[in-house]
Amino acid sequence: MAMLQAKHPGESEYLQAVQEVLESIEEIYNQHPEFEKAKIVERMVEPDRIFTFRVTWVDDRGEVQSNLGYRVQFNSAIGPYKGGLRFHRAVTPSMLKFLGFEQTFKNALTTLPMGGAKGGSDFDPVGKSDAEIMRFCQAFMLELWRCIGPDQDIPAGDVGVGGREIGFLNGMYQKLAREYHTGVLTGKGATWGGSILRPEATGFGALYFTQHLLHKAGKDIKDKKVVISGFGNVAWGAVKKAMQLGAKVVAISGPDGVCVVPDGMTAEMNDYMLDMRASNRNMVEDMAVKFPGKAQFIAGKKAWSVPCDIALPCAFQNELSEDDAKELKANGCWCCCEVSNMGCQPGAIHFFQNNGILFAPGKAVNAGGVATSGLEMTQNAAHLSWTAQEVDDRLHQIMQSIHEQCVKFGTRADGSVDYVKGANIAGFMKVATAMLEQGII
Ligand code: GLU
């Protein structure tokens, strides 16, 4: 860590992600001198390569705009680079390096052959028109297309990149590459190579994982009160599945505040989340305006201030602090499954773990998204598409297997499970073994 800090000063998210993994694997790493000899850790913590490029486009007023674009190809030991694209004003190389690093372990956990990558831009979608989004995506792909390919690197969505953006990106890729296969991006529309259930997959997978975790702890999700941060694609799928499983979603939140829904969200409210995302307004208050009497907006408050059993962070890294964790506990919360990538700050995770609150990390909980991207790649390669039932069954199996891997590597002497340790060791062992077996490259 000291070496990395000296080499990459100020890259706080990246250093935080690496620190968490190294702490978890220390013991097992020291039992494997062959890893040490091949300098596996030193090699694994640095990305294979990073592409950085300028993206220039023209806004609706005719003004020239310039952004930075990136693709971080982190690790390809177990398969082609795979991971999403994030469009957000705060995107930096540090953020994408942390995400690419996490993705490498997450993808290893899915049991599918996918390496880790992440990309994106500091382009801010908030307040942009559809035409501006399209022009930006086209300009972004003008640079990115040389770096990717169905057997090299397969991007997908992440924060700020959903089905609409993947459509614009794919259209431009085909135009530039003059290749009309369907395998270079995942999260495509259902009529042009996309997998059924991909939009729902991250949220659905997270709830399947939560079910297994609760089951192991002798509990059940039915009738439990759930609070969720965010109202993007991931939160949307999580709300949908939580409702299907009989839980009551009593709050969703956004950057402007929280919407409290005392009687639980309805299917209509869940559908409206899609309009909220498509509007690019980034305001959760819109839910309370649309459903007066059912949802109550409180400005400046987080979802963590609402009494609940289960908390599901579904928005952004470090969105849940130690103080939030204490507030959750005081409000009766006894389980937190992290759905966003690194959604909880280290202090929050330690507080949960030291206070008997069930906790599982994003790289295990949210892996259903990229796993279903892997299933989309399989369908594309075979030139066919599976039914919703087939995709859902496989997603469920994968989430069960991820839970089993966490239990295998994370069970403590008292029989409880350290899901952070379990997920990190399981992912690490797979990537480290693959690197070792393929020599010093
Ligand atoms: N961005 C998602 C993640 O964090 C999905 C990546 C993908 O489907 O490639 O895992």
Side-chain angles (χ1 to χ4, degrees):
M1 278 312 300
M3 189 192 82
L4 267 198
Q5 272 154 4
K7 227 198 272 186
H8 307 288
E11 297 199 350
S12 59
E13 298 104 332
Y14 163 62
L15 294 168
Q16 180 187 336
V18 175
Q19 169 104 29
E20 183 205 284
V21 170
L22 295 194
E23 275 173 12
S24 295
I25 62 160
E26 185 171 4
E27 205 182 313
I28 200 141
Y29 190 72
N30 289 335
Q31 292 162 8
H32 288 271
E34 70 279 17
F35 289 161
E36 171 75 51
K37 193 160 172 261
K39 293 273 186 288
I40 292 291
V41 158
E42 288 84 341
R43 289 160 56 200
M44 193 186 271
V45 298
E46 294 283 1
D48 288 353
R49 66 193 66 80
I50 303 179
F51 298 103
T52 306
F53 43 89
R54 176 173 47 74
V55 183
T56 307
W57 55 284
V58 180
D59 69 17
D60 285 348
R61 292 165 305 174
E63 278 178 29
V64 177
Q65 299 286 341
S66 200
N67 289 99
L68 283 173
Y70 309 91
R71 186 70 179 165
V72 179
Q73 294 184 335
F74 218 100
N75 190 299
S76 62
I78 65 172
Y81 300 105
K82 179 83 196 89
L85 297 170
R86 177 173 289 195
F87 292 170
H88 188 278
R89 66 190 146 74
V91 161
T92 58
S94 165
M95 194 192 291
L96 298 179
K97 278 168 68 181
F98 118 65
L99 288 163
F101 181 73
E102 292 269 304
Q103 196 82 44
T104 301
F105 298 97
K106 181 197 315 192
N107 293 3
L109 288 173
T110 65
T111 69
L112 303 174
M114 299 183 289
K118 207 83 187 192
S121 173
D122 59 0
F123 170 75
D124 183 2
V126 177
K128 299 293 189 295
S129 69
D130 270 7
E132 287 176 322
I133 301 265
M134 181 179 77
R135 286 198 296 277
F136 175 79
C137 288
Q138 292 176 338
F140 183 83
M141 188 51 87
L142 205 48
E143 280 291 329
L144 184 71
W145 79 283
R146 292 266 182 211
C147 315
I148 59 176
D151 297 315
Q152 289 87 37
D153 185 349
I154 306 94
D158 195 78
V159 174
V161 178
R164 168 183 51 189
E165 290 76 12
I166 294 294
F168 296 146
L169 291 163
N170 199 62
M172 193 63 174
Y173 179 85
Q174 294 199 336
K175 184 111 184 153
L176 292 163
R178 298 203 181 183
E179 283 172 8
Y180 306 100
H181 54 69
T182 49
V184 77
L185 291 158
T186 59
K188 298 180 291 292
T191 56
W192 42 281
S195 175
I196 296 181
L197 280 193
R198 176 63 188 90
E200 291 87 345
T202 311
F204 278 24
L207 267 295
Y208 294 151
F209 189 95
T210 306
Q211 262 190 316
H212 285 292
L213 174 142
L214 295 182
H215 184 74
K216 171 95 183 133
K219 296 178 187 288
D220 184 14
I221 195 163
K222 201 164 176 333
D223 298 326
K224 298 298 178 299
K225 284 187 184 159
V226 177
V227 296
I228 291 182
S229 62
F231 51 88
N233 176 54
V234 173
W236 167 74
V239 170
K240 196 169 180 173
K241 186 51 80 178
M243 280 169 27
Q244 282 176 13
L245 297 177
K248 203 161 143 185
V249 181
V250 292
I252 60 166
S253 64
D256 51 335
V258 63
C259 262
V260 185
V261 191
D263 294 332
M265 296 216 6
T266 61
E268 230 186 329
M269 295 169 101
N270 188 208
D271 289 346
Y272 187 63
M273 291 170 80
L274 294 175
D275 295 350
M276 286 161 66
R277 143 115 175 95
S279 77
N280 288 336
R281 281 167 49 79
N282 208 20
M283 286 170 73
V284 81
E285 185 178 4
D286 292 358
M287 180 65 83
V289 173
K290 177 84 179 167
F291 298 94
K294 283 188 180 164
Q296 185 202 348
F297 175 68
I298 307 171
K301 284 277 179 194
K302 296 183 183 181
W304 325 131
S305 62
V306 179
C308 65
D309 298 293
I310 300 167
L312 301 177
C314 291
F316 214 57
Q317 74 265 6
N318 289 326
E319 56 173 307
L320 200 156
S321 68
E322 187 173 345
D323 284 347
D324 295 329
K326 287 179 181 161
E327 189 173 10
L328 275 169
K329 184 174 160 57
N331 276 329
C333 174
W334 45 264
C335 172
C336 173
C337 282
E338 187 184 61
V339 192
S340 42
N341 290 310
M342 208 166 77
C344 297
Q345 296 179 15
I349 297 176
H350 293 143
F351 179 82
F352 287 143
Q353 291 182 326
N354 295 332
N355 286 276
I357 294 176
L358 295 166
F359 175 78
K363 60 171 80 71
V365 179
N366 75 27
V370 72
T372 307
S373 278
L375 301 179
E376 183 170 324
M377 288 161 67
T378 309
Q379 293 168 75
N380 293 158
H383 302 282
L384 49 76
S385 51
W386 295 335
T387 61
Q389 188 65 51
E390 217 164 338
V391 178
D392 199 33
D393 285 349
R394 286 178 194 264
L395 170 62
H396 211 143
Q397 263 168 31
I398 290 172
M399 297 316 295
Q400 182 173 355
S401 143
I402 296 173
H403 183 263
E404 280 163 10
Q405 294 174 68
C406 291
V407 171
K408 178 175 171 196
F409 290 104
T411 300
R412 302 183 182 100
D414 66 359
S416 65
V417 182
D418 180 340
Y419 283 91
V420 175
K421 198 170 172 190
N424 284 334
I425 296 180
F428 168 79
M429 286 305 286
K430 188 166 174 192
V431 180
T433 308
M435 288 176 72
L436 196 68
E437 289 175 2
Q438 293 176 79
I440 311 298
I441 45 160

